[in-house]
Amino acid sequence: MHSARPASSSSTRTGRRGPLAIPLLIVPLTLLAALFLLLLALVAARWSPLMTLDTDIVRSLHTEAVDAPDVTHVHRVLSDWVWDPWTMRLVCAAVVAVLAWRLRDRVLAAWVAATCLVGTLLQQALKAAVDRPRPVWPDPVDSAHYAAFPSGHAMTAAVVCGLVLWLLRRHGAGRALWRTALAVSVVSVLGVGLTRLWLGVHWPSDVVGGWLLGALTVVASATAYEKWWASPSRP
C-alpha cells in the first residue's frame, strides 16, 4: 500500500502555491538571452541601420519635447521621481521587508535583494564595457550621466516590477490584485522607457536593451530559485 506523498514543507509553512514549473521558465530565459546578446552585438558594432533608426526616432521626439515644455516637465517628474531607479529600489526594499518580517521567508527576501543588487552591478558593468555616448543636443531638455547602453531606468523598472509579479504568482495572489499589479507594472516599464526617449537622454536601443536585460535578470533569478531552493526534492 502506497503512502500519500507529504506536502512540501516550504509550501505548508508559507501558504504559497508552490514552485513554478521550470520548463515554463527555461523557454523565455533562452529567448531573452538570445535577443539581448543580439542587440548587444549590434550596438557594440555600431550597426549602421540600427544607429540610423535610433537617430531618426530620438531626433523626432526631441523636436516634440522642445515644442511642448509642459509635457516635457511631466516627463521629467515621472522620470526623476515616480520611476527613478531609487524609487524602484525603495519598492524592492519594501517587498523584501514584507517577505522577511511579515511572511517570515528570509531566504526569499535575501534572494530578491540579491537579484536587485546583481542587476544594478550588471547594468553598470555593461555601461562601462560598451561605453556608448548619449544623444547630444544644442538645446537639451534634460541631462544624464554615465554611458547610455543599457538604460538604467528601463532595466531597474523591469527588474523590480518583474520580481513583484513573480512573487505575487508564487504566493497565489487573487485575480484582482494580480491584474492591478500587472497593469501598474506594464504602465511603469513602458512609461519609463518613453520618458527617457522623450527627454532625449537615451537611444531607443538603450531602452529596449534595458527592458530585455531586466526581464532576463528576473527570469534567470526565478529559474535558479525554483530549481535550487524551492524544488520539492531539496532536503
Side-chain angles (χ1 to χ4, degrees):
M1 182 175 181
H2 298 286
S3 59
R5 182 180 179 181
S8 168
S9 60
S10 176
S11 298
T12 303
R13 182 174 63 253
T14 61
R16 53 179 182 250
R17 276 185 180 174
L20 303 179
I22 298 298
L24 295 179
L25 295 171
I26 293 298
V27 174
L29 178 64
T30 304
L31 179 60
L32 287 168
L35 290 175
F36 177 75
L37 289 175
L38 174 61
L39 180 60
L40 175 61
L42 294 178
V43 170
R46 304 293 195 267
W47 191 51
S48 180
L50 179 62
M51 300 298 104
T52 300
L53 179 61
D54 275 350
T55 301
D56 290 344
I57 292 174
V58 295
R59 185 175 294 156
S60 176
L61 287 174
H62 181 70
T63 301
E64 297 290 335
V66 171
D67 293 340
D70 292 339
V71 176
T72 299
H73 177 71
V74 172
H75 280 275
R76 191 179 297 116
V77 171
L78 291 172
S79 179
D80 294 346
W81 295 98
V82 179
W83 294 319
D84 181 77
W86 283 108
T87 303
M88 292 288 105
R89 290 172 189 137
L90 287 176
V91 172
C92 186
V95 170
V96 168
V98 170
L99 287 170
W101 285 282
R102 184 175 178 82
L103 300 181
R104 305 292 183 181
D105 198 341
R106 291 182 174 83
V107 171
L108 185 54
W111 195 281
V112 170
T115 300
C116 288
L117 176 60
V118 168
T120 299
L121 295 176
L122 181 59
Q123 170 221 129
Q124 293 298 324
L126 280 171
K127 280 182 179 288
V130 178
D131 196 26
R132 187 185 194 185
R134 292 179 184 266
V136 178
W137 309 104
D139 50 351
V141 298
D142 202 358
S143 62
H145 305 289
Y146 309 112
F149 184 90
S151 166
H153 281 68
M155 180 180 174
T156 305
V159 168
V160 173
C161 291
L163 287 172
V164 169
L165 292 176
W166 170 53
L167 293 171
L168 289 175
R169 179 64 73 183
R170 285 202 98 255
H171 286 80
R175 183 176 300 177
L177 176 57
W178 168 257
R179 288 180 176 177
T180 300
L182 180 61
V184 171
S185 297
V186 170
V187 170
S188 297
V189 172
L190 295 180
V192 72
L194 177 60
T195 63
R196 304 308 283 168
L197 295 178
W198 182 272
L199 295 173
V201 294
H202 272 297
W203 309 101
S205 52
D206 300 337
V207 171
V208 175
W211 286 338
L212 289 173
L213 186 58
L216 177 60
T217 301
V218 172
V219 176
S221 177
T223 303
Y225 183 85
E226 303 294 357
K227 181 175 178 60
W228 289 303
W229 184 262
S231 174
S233 63
R234 184 182 65 85

